[in-house]
Amino acid sequence: MANSEIQILLVEDDRSDAILATRALQKHNLANNLVHLEDGAEALDFIFAKGKYADRDPENKPKVIFLDLKMPKVDGLEVLKVLKDNEATKLIPVVMMTSSQEESDIVASLKLGVNSYVVKPIDFEKFSKTIVQLGFYWLVVNKTPNGL
Amino acid sequence: MKKTYSDADLKSELEIVRNLLDKKNLENLETKEELESVVKELAVQITKKEEKVLKLAEVNKDLAHQIEIKEKKTAELEVVIQELEFFSYSVSHDLRSPLRAINGFSRIILEEYGHDFEEELKFYFDEILSNSEKMGELIDSILEFSRIAKHKLSYRSIDTNSTVNSIIRELRNLEPDRDFEIKIKDLPGVSGDKNMIRQAFFNLLQNAFKYTGKKEIAVIEVGSYLEEDNTVFYVRDNGAGFDEQYSNKLFGVFQRLHSSKDFEGTGVGLATVEKIITKHNGRVWAESKVNEGACFYISIPVNVDKE
């Protein structure tokens, strides 16, 4: 995994949601190079190759980041802000995933430049479908500039 | 010629002067007494004024205190509102995740191992699934209700005809196999929050579609009339109706007059309609006979004081 290209970075503190999301993506062969982290602080360390991820190549950027909004320590909005403020990471597509339908969260995410905003459905079938569609879109359909 | 005064003359002159002086003295004394009494009176009045000032100061203090209490209460209310908003946020986020897990893992078990299950076990899993879905719907509708409760209205003129027609198209598309007889009279425009008024009509029409579900032909009529300064819209159907004895429960949150077995529902639809119309300074009511249909009315002021 260390050398292979990371496709999806899933940042999700809810263990069940992470398992369900990973399973949905696996079913459609979209989870081959998926990295799952449990909070925003760890995600930032990982992306910028700091702390316990200091050995990682920071040029190995994920093709898409699935980011949970509400997480301990550093939440999704804070991670999003850091990523979109940094030249090196601002082009990585970020999908904000949340259980909340709060308009203020949606507006805040859009202002920070989020690429998609998804309210996680309660129904697992809809949830799987949403996750798979997003994975498919950002990994297969969407064209990213070379060198991202 | 020089006049000379005798002693007697002088004496009487002096007597006159003395008398005059005495009189003056007496007058002075009287004036002094008068002055003294005026001063006394003034002192009394000043005391009274001072008392009044003191009383006023007390009243002022009391008012200030009352204002302080009001401000404190307002602040407390704001905290409560904030807590409620936080609560609804928590509900939306924290309750949905575990529910998704229950729903998701049950579905995975069914998918992966369901083919080996006995009918009974399958039935139980289906119950878990349908209940988690039901709870999801409940959470979503209560959130929708609280969202509407705190939503600020943005007034504009609404084309009621096109609103109602588009809702009916939408609802008919969901049930293409049913027979409907739908009459929409020419409806006047209305001033209000476009999304919310649409939501109110949507809920009423959705109910009309739902509760006519057991009739061979669903007859639904939408019309309006003017009543004083209000436009009254009504949605009439020939559906299951309700017992007017319980009409006070009709618009309550989570209140239902039909069992889920007969008609699915969360008990939030009409509560939402009432909330929306009340926010528009209007009124909702209904009449019905069991099994003969129901008629729901919403009145909206014609001239609205825009907030």
Side-chain angles (χ1 to χ4, degrees), chain B residues 198-214:
Chain B
R198 188 183 200 278
Q199 185 70 55
F201 273 112
F202 187 90
N203 289 8
L204 288 181
L205 287 162
Q206 192 182 37
N207 274 358
F209 273 64
K210 176 161 62 178
Y211 292 104
T212 50
K214 291 177 180 168

Side-chain angles (χ1 to χ4, degrees), chain A residues 79-130:
Chain A
V79 174
L80 179 65
K81 186 169 179 353
V82 173
L83 293 179
K84 293 299 178 187
D85 275 351
N86 191 312
E87 281 300 320
T89 52
K90 70 193 284 185
L91 292 179
I92 305 174
V94 177
V95 178
M96 190 66 88
M97 296 193 309
T98 170
S99 283
S100 107
Q101 317 202 13
E102 278 294 310
E103 264 173 40
S104 57
D105 285 340
I106 302 176
V107 172
S109 303
L110 289 175
K111 276 189 179 158
L112 290 173
V114 79
N115 300 81
S116 301
Y117 189 98
V118 181
V119 177
K120 293 184 266 186
I122 288 175
D123 183 272
F124 175 61
E125 265 178 24
K126 288 185 199 150
F127 176 75
S128 307
K129 223 173 167 181
T130 309

